[in-house]
Amino acid sequence: MSHQRIRIATILSDLLLFNGGFALAYIIRYEWQWLRPITFLEPFAHYLGQLALLNVLLIFTFIQVRVWRRKRGEFWVDELSRITYAVAAGIGLLSMIAFFVQPTPFSRLMYFWAFLAIVVLIGVARLLRRFVLGALYQRGILADRVLVIGSGEVGRSLIRTLLARSDLGYKAVGYLHDGESENNIGLGRIPNLGTFADLQNTLAERPHLHTIFIALPGEMHQQISQLLRLCQQHGVRAQVVPDLLQLSMNRVEFNNMAGIPTLGVRDVGITRVQQLTKRLLDLGIILLGGIPALLVMCLISLAIKLDSPGPVIYKAMRVGKNGRPFPMYKFRSMEVNAEQRKAELKQFNQADGPIFKMKDDPRMTRVGRFIRRLSLDELPQIYNVLLGQMSLVGPRPPLAEEVAAYKPWHKQRLSVIGGITGLWQVSGRSDLTFDELCLLDIYYIENWSLALDIRILLQTIPHSLFGRGAY
C-alpha cells in the first residue's frame, strides 16, 4: 500500500517538474540567453501547445521505459540513466513533430535546455526522495512488512541484506527457520517466529504482511510449493529466492563456454586493488584528522590518570584476518582487575552468542563510562591502523575465546582485517544480537565499495555522539 502511495506521489511530482523544467528552459533561452543571443522573442503563451504535447509524450516514454516502476535497491545513477533516456526520447519526438508541423515558435536551443532542465530537476527530486524515504524507513515508517522463510546460507544472505539496507523499504517482522537447529539465528531485530510449518498461524497473527520471501533449500521444492499455495490463499505476495547450490548470489559466477552456460563459485572478499584503495583511504583520513585526534587522546589520557589508578592504555589480544592474533589497543575504561571479575558477572551477560556485554557494568570507571558512550575508547586503535593490523572500517576484531565458539558461517567475518567502526556500529551496535552482527559483517565483505566505507565513516559520527546502543 505504501509502495503505491509513493508511486502516485512520484508521478504527480514528475508532472509538475515536466512543466517547471520547460518553463525554466524558456527563461534560460529567452531571458538569460545562454549560449546564443535570441533573434526573435516569442511569448511563453505561444509554447503552451508544445508544452501540452510534451506532457503527453513524456508520460508515454516514462511508461515505456518504466521510469515509474520503482526498483528496490537500484542505484541513483541507474535510475537517472532511465530518466535521461525517457526525457531524450520525449524531447526528440517533440522536435520531430515541431519540424514537420512547423509551429510559429521553434527554437532548437529551447529543446536542448528543456531536456537538461527536466533531467536535472527530476534527478535532484529522486535524490531528495531517497533521502526522505531512507530516514522514514529507518524509523519503520512507510516500510512494507515482510517475513523471511529459511535461515540457511540463502536465508542468512537475505536477512543480512534486510538488516543492512533499510533503504529498500522492507521491515522484516521475523523469520521462520527450516527446522535445522543450527540455522536458528536467535532472537533479535528480526526475531525467530518458529519453523516454516508455522506459516499458517503466522499469517493469521499478522494479517498486514506485504511480502513473504521463501529462501528454503532447493531439495525442499514440495514444501516450497505448499508455502506458495498458502500465501496465495491468504492474498499475500510471495517471492522465492533460488538457492543456487545454497550459495549467495554474490558468490555465483556466470560463464559462457562456447554457447554452454555454466555456473561457477568465486571467492567473495576484498581484492588486492580494493585493499590498496581502502588502505589509502585510511591513511588519508588519519593524515587529515591525526592532530585533532592526538589532542583529544591527550585529554582522555589525563582524565583516565586522574580518575583511577592503573595504565591509560589497555592491550588485549584479538583475532585478525584469517585467524591471525594481534594486540589491539584501547583506552582503559574499567578497573585494573576487570578480567578477574568477569567470571562472577557472566550470569548478568546481556548479549547472546560468545560475546559478553553488560549495560551497567560495575567494573566501569567514571571516565570509562563516558568514553565508552562516545566510542572514544577506540581512538588508540589508530595505531593498529597505521601498523596495517586494522582498518578504519571493518568487522569488529573478536577475542580468541569468541572465535572458539563460532559456527562455521560466523568465520566468514574473519576473511578481512577488522575495523574501528563498521556496519554493525551504525546499525545498532550493542543492541544487535551476535548473529545479526555477523550477518552485517558478511554483507559488508560481500558488498564492499569505497562509497560504502565513506558512508559508514560519516554515519559513525552522529551514532557516536548520541551513543546509540553503546555500553
Side-chain angles (χ1 to χ4, degrees):
M1 192 65 183
S2 60
H3 188 69
Q4 187 65 22
R5 291 200 299 267
I6 293 168
R7 186 169 185 265
I8 292 171
T10 300
I11 293 173
L12 292 176
S13 66
D14 282 356
L15 292 176
L16 289 174
L17 293 174
F18 292 164
N19 295 277
F22 195 85
L24 178 60
Y26 178 85
I27 293 171
I28 293 173
R29 180 68 188 102
Y30 289 100
E31 298 293 333
W32 299 342
Q33 300 184 35
W34 289 359
L35 294 185
R36 285 181 62 184
I38 58 171
T39 56
F40 58 90
L41 179 62
E42 289 289 346
F44 187 71
H46 290 179
Y47 274 103
L48 291 179
Q50 292 188 52
L51 178 56
L53 178 59
L54 179 62
N55 275 272
V56 174
L57 293 173
L58 287 179
I59 290 171
F60 172 74
T61 57
F62 270 51
I63 292 173
Q64 291 300 310
V65 184
R66 298 185 175 183
V67 173
W68 289 324
R69 179 171 292 185
R70 185 163 154 255
K71 300 178 180 179
R72 297 181 193 258
E74 181 183 36
F75 291 111
W76 175 75
V77 173
D78 296 327
E79 187 177 15
L80 184 63
S81 67
R82 288 191 291 127
I83 293 168
T84 303
Y85 181 81
V87 174
I91 295 289
L93 289 171
L94 178 64
S95 63
M96 288 172 59
I97 294 171
F99 178 78
F100 287 108
V101 177
Q102 291 184 343
T104 304
F106 180 69
S107 170
R108 286 169 293 182
L109 270 180
M110 175 72 180
Y111 296 144
F112 169 74
W113 290 123
F115 164 74
L116 281 184
I118 293 172
V119 169
V120 169
L121 288 177
I122 295 180
V124 171
R126 290 295 193 275
L127 271 180
L128 290 174
R129 185 186 73 175
R130 285 169 179 262
F131 177 79
V132 172
L133 287 179
L136 292 174
Y137 288 154
Q138 282 189 333
R139 292 163 176 79
I141 302 172
L142 295 180
D144 293 323
R145 297 162 63 84
V146 300
L147 175 74
V148 178
I149 301 179
S151 54
E153 180 58 39
V154 180
R156 290 195 296 267
S157 177
L158 177 60
I159 289 171
R160 62 179 173 252
T161 299
L162 294 176
L163 281 169
R165 296 288 304 276
S166 59
D167 61 295
L168 295 177
Y170 287 127
K171 179 178 176 58
V173 300
Y175 73 93
L176 300 174
H177 68 84
D178 54 15
E180 299 289 337
S181 59
E182 62 269 21
N183 286 337
N184 183 356
I185 53 178
L187 296 168
R189 190 172 296 183
I190 302 180
N192 174 19
L193 303 178
T195 68
F196 69 92
D198 299 319
L199 179 60
Q200 177 80 43
N201 295 332
T202 305
L203 289 172
E205 294 169 359
R206 293 169 173 78
H208 301 298
L209 284 174
H210 176 272
T211 303
I212 291 178
F213 291 104
I214 302 174
L216 293 173
E219 63 267 18
M220 299 179 69
H221 57 275
Q222 289 185 345
Q223 291 89 336
I224 292 172
S225 298
Q226 293 171 2
L227 294 172
L228 287 171
R229 284 195 296 270
L230 190 57
C231 292
Q232 189 175 21
Q233 291 169 9
H234 284 78
V236 179
R237 184 185 182 202
Q239 293 192 38
V240 178
V241 182
D243 69 343
L244 288 177
L245 311 177
Q246 281 291 297
L247 295 172
S248 165
M249 285 296 292
N250 289 309
R251 297 194 62 191
V252 178
E253 185 177 49
F254 296 90
N255 296 307
N256 185 337
M257 185 181 66
I260 300 174
T262 61
L263 296 178
V265 180
R266 65 180 179 87
D267 293 329
V268 174
I270 302 177
T271 65
R272 289 187 178 181
V273 174
Q274 291 173 333
Q275 288 173 10
L276 177 60
T277 307
K278 187 174 173 65
R279 180 69 175 158
L280 291 174
L281 176 67
D282 289 344
L283 295 177
I285 292 175
I286 291 174
L287 185 64
L288 290 173
I291 294 177
L294 189 60
L295 293 175
V296 172
M297 286 193 282
C298 288
L299 292 174
I300 294 173
S301 299
L302 180 62
I304 293 172
K305 205 66 180 173
L306 294 174
D307 180 54
S308 62
V312 170
I313 300 295
Y314 172 75
K315 182 175 73 172
M317 293 303 296
R318 295 291 179 122
V319 178
K321 181 180 177 181
N322 298 325
R324 289 193 297 268
F326 71 97
M328 190 180 80
Y329 301 95
K330 298 177 70 172
F331 278 124
R332 181 176 59 82
S333 58
M334 293 187 176
E335 300 169 352
V336 177
N337 64 341
E339 282 300 317
Q340 287 75 21
R341 296 185 60 191
K342 185 176 179 180
E344 67 185 65
L345 296 173
K346 278 208 169 181
Q347 58 181 319
F348 303 108
N349 186 16
Q350 293 174 283
D352 72 332
I355 57 177
F356 179 84
K357 287 286 183 180
M358 188 176 175
K359 195 164 189 176
D360 296 311
D361 198 319
R363 301 171 298 168
M364 204 90 70
T365 63
R366 287 174 300 177
V367 171
R369 201 173 300 278
F370 173 75
I371 61 176
R372 277 279 190 99
R373 179 64 60 180
L374 299 179
S375 297
L376 294 174
D377 60 319
E378 314 283 355
L379 283 176
Q381 290 161 31
I382 292 174
Y383 181 63
N384 290 115
V385 176
L386 289 173
L387 294 178
Q389 298 166 333
M390 291 179 64
S391 174
L392 292 177
V393 183
R396 184 186 71 90
L399 295 166
E401 62 192 59
E402 296 173 0
V403 175
Y406 276 10
K407 296 176 183 177
W409 69 269
H410 290 157
K411 295 180 180 178
Q412 295 177 58
R413 67 191 300 271
L414 300 177
S415 61
V416 298
I417 61 175
I420 298 177
T421 185
L423 201 53
W424 45 273
Q425 177 141 354
V426 300
S427 303
R429 300 169 79 178
S430 297
D431 294 333
L432 293 167
T433 67
F434 176 71
D435 283 329
E436 288 172 344
L437 183 147
C438 290
L439 290 171
L440 287 169
D441 284 339
I442 296 168
Y443 177 89
Y444 169 80
I445 294 167
E446 291 185 345
N447 297 274
W448 182 88
S449 68
L450 197 61
L452 180 59
D453 265 14
I454 294 171
R455 177 171 71 84
I456 291 171
L457 287 168
L458 291 175
Q459 288 181 328
T460 298
I461 298 170
H463 276 78
S464 297
L465 288 175
F466 292 107
R468 297 172 188 168
Y471 54 85

